[in-house]
Amino acid sequence: MISVILPTYNELENIKVIIPEIFSVLKGSSLEGEIIVVDDNSPDGTAAVAMELVRGNPLKVFVRENERGLATAVMKGFEIASGDIYVVMDADLSHPVGKIPEMVEPILIGNCDLTVGSRYTSGGECVDWTFMRRFTSKFSGLLAKGLTRLTDPTSGFMAIKKDTLNGIKLDPVGWKIVLEIIVKTGARFQEVPIVFSDRLEGQSKLDTKVKAQYIAHLWKLYCFKYPAIFQLFKFCIVGSISQLGMNWTEYR
Ligand SMILES: Nc1nc2c(ncn2[C@@H]2O[C@H](COP(=O)(O)OP(=O)(O)OP(=O)(O)O)[C@@H](O)[C@H]2O)c(=O)[nH]1
Ligand SMILES: [Mg+2]
């Protein structure tokens, strides 16, 4: 069974469209599946609208009252999900719902444990992006190149075999759950080209705080993957502080 996890914050208009679309794609490809919406108490009433769509459908809606954040919302989805494969995607229709079967297939046939929807592999695309948006996205990806060979390390569209997460402690800062999982599990991955379309409804939540969290998250992941970096950093900091202390004593 497939569990499609949708983190939501103020996605009222999009949730009405994406939930029936996902059910229709699952039905059309004979995949047994459920949808899990993890909403952070959106003021626009996203959760209430999602709950109206339950009507006997395999749809679970979980509302977090006092927490915000995309990656931790996805982790909550993992806890609630009953499937053997989790699909994680944005709820704003930027990720093509029709690609779900293609994301799941390589895992089902045992070719890999994780698939990532990529805008930058052959066949992938971002529709109508400005130069600046393209540059920022590419640059963010470049910063993660020491962590993974993914062509699109900042992608938020993935499918993963549940067992891959067994015994792994996920501790993401901010949004990039895909990077967190790849670094911590070393999962065998495959990329699936996707055409990424900009949201038509609602607003982006990708603000300066999220961008700063990305840098902090990268730092944590680099230290995890290359513990020597952290040791060297600690050594330099401690060395500089004690040098400063000595200079200060001499100065006095
Ligand atoms: N539960 C939860 N979901 C969130 C939160 N922030 C964003 N999301 C959801 O995460 C997904 C991605 O957020 P977006 O705002 O679309 O960010 P983005 O896709 O990087 O940016 P755009 O391309 O500008 O839309 C959407 O489904 C959001 O509703 C949050 O704090 N909590
Ligand atoms: Mg979006």
Side-chain angles (χ1 to χ4, degrees), residues 11 14 70 90-95 133 175 196-199 203-206:
E11 299 291 0
N14 294 317
L70 200 166
D90 291 354
D92 59 358
L93 296 157
S94 286
H95 297 147
R133 182 113 195 254
W175 281 25
F196 183 99
S197 330
D198 265 340
R199 59 163 68 244
Q203 281 181 353
S204 170
K205 286 101 213 169
L206 183 68

PDB file of all heavy atoms in Angstrom, residues 11 14 70 90-95 133 175 196-199 203-206, ligand 2:
ATOM      1  N   GLU A  11      -3.473  25.974   2.288  1.00  0.00           N
ATOM      2  CA  GLU A  11      -3.600  25.440   0.920  1.00  0.00           C
ATOM      3  C   GLU A  11      -5.074  25.159   0.601  1.00  0.00           C
ATOM      4  O   GLU A  11      -5.394  24.193  -0.098  1.00  0.00           O
ATOM      5  CB  GLU A  11      -2.768  24.155   0.762  1.00  0.00           C
ATOM      6  CG  GLU A  11      -1.289  24.292   0.989  1.00  0.00           C
ATOM      7  CD  GLU A  11      -0.545  25.109  -0.077  1.00  0.00           C
ATOM      8  OE1 GLU A  11      -1.192  25.587  -1.031  1.00  0.00           O
ATOM      9  OE2 GLU A  11       0.678  25.290   0.084  1.00  0.00           O
ATOM     10  N   ASN A  14      -5.966  24.635  -3.087  1.00  0.00           N
ATOM     11  CA  ASN A  14      -5.225  23.536  -3.718  1.00  0.00           C
ATOM     12  C   ASN A  14      -5.646  22.163  -3.196  1.00  0.00           C
ATOM     13  O   ASN A  14      -5.674  21.190  -3.943  1.00  0.00           O
ATOM     14  CB  ASN A  14      -3.721  23.738  -3.486  1.00  0.00           C
ATOM     15  CG  ASN A  14      -3.218  24.981  -4.200  1.00  0.00           C
ATOM     16  OD1 ASN A  14      -3.591  25.233  -5.340  1.00  0.00           O
ATOM     17  ND2 ASN A  14      -2.399  25.780  -3.527  1.00  0.00           N
ATOM     18  N   LEU A  70       7.811  22.225   7.556  1.00  0.00           N
ATOM     19  CA  LEU A  70       7.493  21.227   6.532  1.00  0.00           C
ATOM     20  C   LEU A  70       8.072  19.843   6.873  1.00  0.00           C
ATOM     21  O   LEU A  70       7.373  18.850   6.867  1.00  0.00           O
ATOM     22  CB  LEU A  70       8.035  21.732   5.194  1.00  0.00           C
ATOM     23  CG  LEU A  70       7.471  21.143   3.904  1.00  0.00           C
ATOM     24  CD1 LEU A  70       7.889  22.012   2.728  1.00  0.00           C
ATOM     25  CD2 LEU A  70       7.874  19.740   3.645  1.00  0.00           C
ATOM     26  N   ASP A  90       4.393  18.274  -2.391  1.00  0.00           N
ATOM     27  CA  ASP A  90       3.774  19.535  -2.000  1.00  0.00           C
ATOM     28  C   ASP A  90       2.288  19.486  -2.354  1.00  0.00           C
ATOM     29  O   ASP A  90       1.896  18.828  -3.322  1.00  0.00           O
ATOM     30  CB  ASP A  90       4.431  20.709  -2.744  1.00  0.00           C
ATOM     31  CG  ASP A  90       5.861  20.957  -2.276  1.00  0.00           C
ATOM     32  OD1 ASP A  90       6.293  20.299  -1.315  1.00  0.00           O
ATOM     33  OD2 ASP A  90       6.530  21.820  -2.878  1.00  0.00           O
ATOM     34  N   ALA A  91       1.508  20.236  -1.604  1.00  0.00           N
ATOM     35  CA  ALA A  91       0.061  20.220  -1.828  1.00  0.00           C
ATOM     36  C   ALA A  91      -0.391  21.325  -2.781  1.00  0.00           C
ATOM     37  O   ALA A  91      -1.577  21.474  -3.047  1.00  0.00           O
ATOM     38  CB  ALA A  91      -0.657  20.367  -0.483  1.00  0.00           C
ATOM     39  N   ASP A  92       0.579  22.097  -3.307  1.00  0.00           N
ATOM     40  CA  ASP A  92       0.182  23.264  -4.114  1.00  0.00           C
ATOM     41  C   ASP A  92       0.139  22.974  -5.614  1.00  0.00           C
ATOM     42  O   ASP A  92       0.106  23.899  -6.425  1.00  0.00           O
ATOM     43  CB  ASP A  92       1.125  24.448  -3.842  1.00  0.00           C
ATOM     44  CG  ASP A  92       2.577  24.120  -4.159  1.00  0.00           C
ATOM     45  OD1 ASP A  92       2.854  22.971  -4.544  1.00  0.00           O
ATOM     46  OD2 ASP A  92       3.432  25.014  -4.017  1.00  0.00           O
ATOM     47  N   LEU A  93       0.150  21.684  -5.960  1.00  0.00           N
ATOM     48  CA  LEU A  93       0.050  21.227  -7.353  1.00  0.00           C
ATOM     49  C   LEU A  93       1.291  21.550  -8.192  1.00  0.00           C
ATOM     50  O   LEU A  93       1.237  21.482  -9.413  1.00  0.00           O
ATOM     51  CB  LEU A  93      -1.223  21.775  -8.026  1.00  0.00           C
ATOM     52  CG  LEU A  93      -2.516  21.247  -7.386  1.00  0.00           C
ATOM     53  CD1 LEU A  93      -3.675  22.179  -7.668  1.00  0.00           C
ATOM     54  CD2 LEU A  93      -2.833  19.846  -7.875  1.00  0.00           C
ATOM     55  N   SER A  94       2.384  21.893  -7.532  1.00  0.00           N
ATOM     56  CA  SER A  94       3.629  22.124  -8.269  1.00  0.00           C
ATOM     57  C   SER A  94       4.233  20.802  -8.733  1.00  0.00           C
ATOM     58  O   SER A  94       4.878  20.738  -9.773  1.00  0.00           O
ATOM     59  CB  SER A  94       4.645  22.845  -7.392  1.00  0.00           C
ATOM     60  OG  SER A  94       4.279  24.181  -7.239  1.00  0.00           O
ATOM     61  N   HIS A  95       4.064  19.769  -7.931  1.00  0.00           N
ATOM     62  CA  HIS A  95       4.567  18.445  -8.305  1.00  0.00           C
ATOM     63  C   HIS A  95       3.483  17.706  -9.081  1.00  0.00           C
ATOM     64  O   HIS A  95       2.340  17.652  -8.631  1.00  0.00           O
ATOM     65  CB  HIS A  95       4.944  17.641  -7.045  1.00  0.00           C
ATOM     66  CG  HIS A  95       6.049  18.266  -6.249  1.00  0.00           C
ATOM     67  ND1 HIS A  95       6.125  18.187  -4.876  1.00  0.00           N
ATOM     68  CD2 HIS A  95       7.121  18.990  -6.650  1.00  0.00           C
ATOM     69  CE1 HIS A  95       7.212  18.829  -4.461  1.00  0.00           C
ATOM     70  NE2 HIS A  95       7.826  19.331  -5.523  1.00  0.00           N
ATOM     71  N   ARG A 133      14.984  33.071 -10.056  1.00  0.00           N
ATOM     72  CA  ARG A 133      14.432  31.892  -9.384  1.00  0.00           C
ATOM     73  C   ARG A 133      15.251  30.647  -9.748  1.00  0.00           C
ATOM     74  O   ARG A 133      15.580  29.822  -8.903  1.00  0.00           O
ATOM     75  CB  ARG A 133      12.969  31.746  -9.819  1.00  0.00           C
ATOM     76  CG  ARG A 133      12.226  30.615  -9.196  1.00  0.00           C
ATOM     77  CD  ARG A 133      11.136  31.080  -8.269  1.00  0.00           C
ATOM     78  NE  ARG A 133      10.678  30.002  -7.438  1.00  0.00           N
ATOM     79  CZ  ARG A 133       9.526  29.373  -7.606  1.00  0.00           C
ATOM     80  NH1 ARG A 133       8.702  29.788  -8.523  1.00  0.00           N
ATOM     81  NH2 ARG A 133       9.179  28.381  -6.821  1.00  0.00           N
ATOM     82  N   TRP A 175      13.128  22.426   6.004  1.00  0.00           N
ATOM     83  CA  TRP A 175      12.274  21.814   4.989  1.00  0.00           C
ATOM     84  C   TRP A 175      12.818  20.583   4.309  1.00  0.00           C
ATOM     85  O   TRP A 175      12.063  19.779   3.779  1.00  0.00           O
ATOM     86  CB  TRP A 175      12.012  22.860   3.879  1.00  0.00           C
ATOM     87  CG  TRP A 175      10.962  23.848   4.246  1.00  0.00           C
ATOM     88  CD1 TRP A 175      10.586  24.213   5.500  1.00  0.00           C
ATOM     89  CD2 TRP A 175      10.145  24.598   3.343  1.00  0.00           C
ATOM     90  NE1 TRP A 175       9.603  25.148   5.434  1.00  0.00           N
ATOM     91  CE2 TRP A 175       9.316  25.406   4.126  1.00  0.00           C
ATOM     92  CE3 TRP A 175      10.071  24.671   1.943  1.00  0.00           C
ATOM     93  CZ2 TRP A 175       8.390  26.285   3.560  1.00  0.00           C
ATOM     94  CZ3 TRP A 175       9.151  25.537   1.381  1.00  0.00           C
ATOM     95  CH2 TRP A 175       8.313  26.334   2.186  1.00  0.00           C
ATOM     96  N   PHE A 196       7.958  20.882 -13.105  1.00  0.00           N
ATOM     97  CA  PHE A 196       7.509  21.607 -11.910  1.00  0.00           C
ATOM     98  C   PHE A 196       6.748  22.854 -12.360  1.00  0.00           C
ATOM     99  O   PHE A 196       7.279  23.674 -13.098  1.00  0.00           O
ATOM    100  CB  PHE A 196       8.741  21.997 -11.097  1.00  0.00           C
ATOM    101  CG  PHE A 196       8.454  22.684  -9.784  1.00  0.00           C
ATOM    102  CD1 PHE A 196       8.469  21.974  -8.586  1.00  0.00           C
ATOM    103  CD2 PHE A 196       8.196  24.048  -9.743  1.00  0.00           C
ATOM    104  CE1 PHE A 196       8.230  22.615  -7.377  1.00  0.00           C
ATOM    105  CE2 PHE A 196       7.951  24.691  -8.535  1.00  0.00           C
ATOM    106  CZ  PHE A 196       7.976  23.975  -7.350  1.00  0.00           C
ATOM    107  N   SER A 197       5.504  22.975 -11.922  1.00  0.00           N
ATOM    108  CA  SER A 197       4.723  24.170 -12.308  1.00  0.00           C
ATOM    109  C   SER A 197       4.530  25.053 -11.082  1.00  0.00           C
ATOM    110  O   SER A 197       4.300  24.542  -9.986  1.00  0.00           O
ATOM    111  CB  SER A 197       3.335  23.785 -12.796  1.00  0.00           C
ATOM    112  OG  SER A 197       3.342  22.536 -13.394  1.00  0.00           O
ATOM    113  N   ASP A 198       4.577  26.335 -11.276  1.00  0.00           N
ATOM    114  CA  ASP A 198       4.355  27.250 -10.155  1.00  0.00           C
ATOM    115  C   ASP A 198       2.927  27.140  -9.639  1.00  0.00           C
ATOM    116  O   ASP A 198       2.012  26.864 -10.407  1.00  0.00           O
ATOM    117  CB  ASP A 198       4.622  28.687 -10.606  1.00  0.00           C
ATOM    118  CG  ASP A 198       6.040  29.091 -10.261  1.00  0.00           C
ATOM    119  OD1 ASP A 198       6.640  28.439  -9.383  1.00  0.00           O
ATOM    120  OD2 ASP A 198       6.539  30.048 -10.876  1.00  0.00           O
ATOM    121  N   ARG A 199       2.794  27.364  -8.352  1.00  0.00           N
ATOM    122  CA  ARG A 199       1.456  27.316  -7.767  1.00  0.00           C
ATOM    123  C   ARG A 199       0.551  28.360  -8.424  1.00  0.00           C
ATOM    124  O   ARG A 199       1.013  29.455  -8.770  1.00  0.00           O
ATOM    125  CB  ARG A 199       1.514  27.516  -6.260  1.00  0.00           C
ATOM    126  CG  ARG A 199       2.142  28.835  -5.830  1.00  0.00           C
ATOM    127  CD  ARG A 199       1.844  29.216  -4.384  1.00  0.00           C
ATOM    128  NE  ARG A 199       2.427  28.392  -3.360  1.00  0.00           N
ATOM    129  CZ  ARG A 199       1.708  27.667  -2.504  1.00  0.00           C
ATOM    130  NH1 ARG A 199       0.397  27.691  -2.564  1.00  0.00           N
ATOM    131  NH2 ARG A 199       2.299  26.956  -1.574  1.00  0.00           N
ATOM    132  N   GLN A 203      -0.170  31.225  -1.344  1.00  0.00           N
ATOM    133  CA  GLN A 203       1.141  31.888  -1.358  1.00  0.00           C
ATOM    134  C   GLN A 203       2.254  30.951  -0.929  1.00  0.00           C
ATOM    135  O   GLN A 203       2.027  30.033  -0.140  1.00  0.00           O
ATOM    136  CB  GLN A 203       1.100  33.073  -0.397  1.00  0.00           C
ATOM    137  CG  GLN A 203       0.406  34.244  -1.033  1.00  0.00           C
ATOM    138  CD  GLN A 203       0.370  35.449  -0.112  1.00  0.00           C
ATOM    139  OE1 GLN A 203       0.747  35.362   1.052  1.00  0.00           O
ATOM    140  NE2 GLN A 203      -0.097  36.559  -0.646  1.00  0.00           N
ATOM    141  N   SER A 204       3.446  31.240  -1.439  1.00  0.00           N
ATOM    142  CA  SER A 204       4.615  30.459  -1.059  1.00  0.00           C
ATOM    143  C   SER A 204       4.967  30.753   0.403  1.00  0.00           C
ATOM    144  O   SER A 204       4.810  31.871   0.874  1.00  0.00           O
ATOM    145  CB  SER A 204       5.777  30.858  -1.957  1.00  0.00           C
ATOM    146  OG  SER A 204       6.964  30.298  -1.463  1.00  0.00           O
ATOM    147  N   LYS A 205       5.454  29.737   1.101  1.00  0.00           N
ATOM    148  CA  LYS A 205       5.897  29.946   2.503  1.00  0.00           C
ATOM    149  C   LYS A 205       7.407  29.930   2.597  1.00  0.00           C
ATOM    150  O   LYS A 205       7.985  29.879   3.684  1.00  0.00           O
ATOM    151  CB  LYS A 205       5.313  28.849   3.411  1.00  0.00           C
ATOM    152  CG  LYS A 205       3.848  29.002   3.689  1.00  0.00           C
ATOM    153  CD  LYS A 205       3.045  28.063   2.836  1.00  0.00           C
ATOM    154  CE  LYS A 205       1.709  28.674   2.469  1.00  0.00           C
ATOM    155  NZ  LYS A 205       1.031  27.862   1.425  1.00  0.00           N
ATOM    156  N   LEU A 206       8.037  29.925   1.444  1.00  0.00           N
ATOM    157  CA  LEU A 206       9.506  29.874   1.399  1.00  0.00           C
ATOM    158  C   LEU A 206      10.068  31.267   1.692  1.00  0.00           C
ATOM    159  O   LEU A 206      10.298  32.056   0.779  1.00  0.00           O
ATOM    160  CB  LEU A 206       9.942  29.400   0.003  1.00  0.00           C
ATOM    161  CG  LEU A 206      11.426  29.215  -0.234  1.00  0.00           C
ATOM    162  CD1 LEU A 206      11.972  28.054   0.571  1.00  0.00           C
ATOM    163  CD2 LEU A 206      11.680  28.939  -1.717  1.00  0.00           C
TER     164      LEU A 206
HETATM  165 MG    MG B   2       5.291  25.296  -3.731  1.00  0.00          MG
END
